[in-house]
Amino acid sequence: MNGIILKRLGHNVHILEQNTKSERSDLAAGITTHPEFDEFMDVHDLVKESWFVPSPGIQWLNKDAAVTREAKRPLKMTSWEVTYHRLRANFDGFTSSFCPDPPARGEKDGSATFDLGKRVTAISELEDAVQISFEDLLDGNEQGTISADLIILADGANSTLRGTLFPGIERAYAGYVAFRGTVPEAEVSDAAKKAFDPKLTYFCFKNNYILL
């Protein structure tokens, strides 16, 4: 998202991605987006096709599948995989089955490079720039460096770089475990479809909840 905005402002953006492949699997991770992301997509997404399935709201069921509570709030349902490929299409024109026709580069756009297989290992400050060092996982772990005016660390919760900048901050496991799965809609009974579709559905019980 940062890359898309900066590119559209005319800056040259170079993303170093540790993963060695562009494709992503979301492991059935469906998500409901927040207004901030919806606003971002309204402004910056130049692809015509929809990236979400609309839902009229949320419902809570009891163990007999009866509705005990409802929240009538329009939601946009999507997945990590859909949003990732849509953002890639807008950033560097990446073509995928999710977005086979990415938008053309704008006349005022800066360059956009999505560089695979690059594991960033260190950051150092130069006189008039910031330099990062990296290993090239696609080229025998060959070492390399890149200098830039601005560097954004977006390498996840296990970021080793963030640890070097903020050594006093440590992660603590919260004891959360999630199980995910999918069922083809054709195999779901009519009664189940009527109970669930098209609302976001919760069933809550002691220390747990089920989300569909």
Side-chain angles (χ1 to χ4, degrees), residues 76-146:
K76 294 180 179 179
M77 314 291 292
T78 184
S79 74
W80 288 114
E81 195 167 11
V82 170
T83 52
Y84 162 77
H85 285 94
R86 179 57 66 90
L87 294 174
R88 278 292 307 275
N90 280 282
F91 175 66
D92 66 332
F94 181 67
T95 301
S96 66
S97 59
F98 293 93
C99 191
D101 189 22
R105 185 176 181 273
E107 187 176 320
K108 297 182 179 181
D109 287 355
S111 63
T113 303
F114 196 86
D115 208 351
L116 294 168
K118 304 299 187 292
R119 177 189 291 139
V120 178
T121 56
I123 306 175
S124 56
E125 195 169 350
L126 304 177
E127 186 174 337
D128 58 352
V130 184
Q131 180 176 277
I132 57 173
S133 304
F134 64 87
E135 297 175 340
D136 190 339
L137 304 182
L138 294 172
D139 190 20
N141 289 356
E142 188 75 21
Q143 305 296 307
T145 60
I146 292 179

Side-chain angles (χ1 to χ4, degrees), residues 27-62:
L27 303 177
I31 57 173
T32 304
T33 59
H34 289 271
E36 293 83 358
F37 184 79
D38 301 341
E39 182 181 349
F40 173 89
M41 295 298 279
D42 288 341
V43 174
H44 297 289
D45 180 26
L46 302 183
V47 181
K48 295 180 180 179
E49 290 79 12
S50 180
W51 53 269
F52 63 90
V53 175
S55 173
I58 308 170
Q59 64 180 2
W60 286 262
L61 305 183
N62 62 19

Side-chain angles (χ1 to χ4, degrees), residues 143-154:
Q143 305 296 307
T145 60
I146 292 179
S147 298
D149 298 320
L150 171 69
I151 292 176
I152 299 173
L153 295 183

Side-chain angles (χ1 to χ4, degrees), residues 17-36:
E17 168 59 52
Q18 179 172 288
N19 205 302
T20 57
K21 295 181 180 179
S22 279
E23 289 71 23
R24 294 288 185 276
S25 173
D26 60 18
L27 303 177
I31 57 173
T32 304
T33 59
H34 289 271
E36 293 83 358

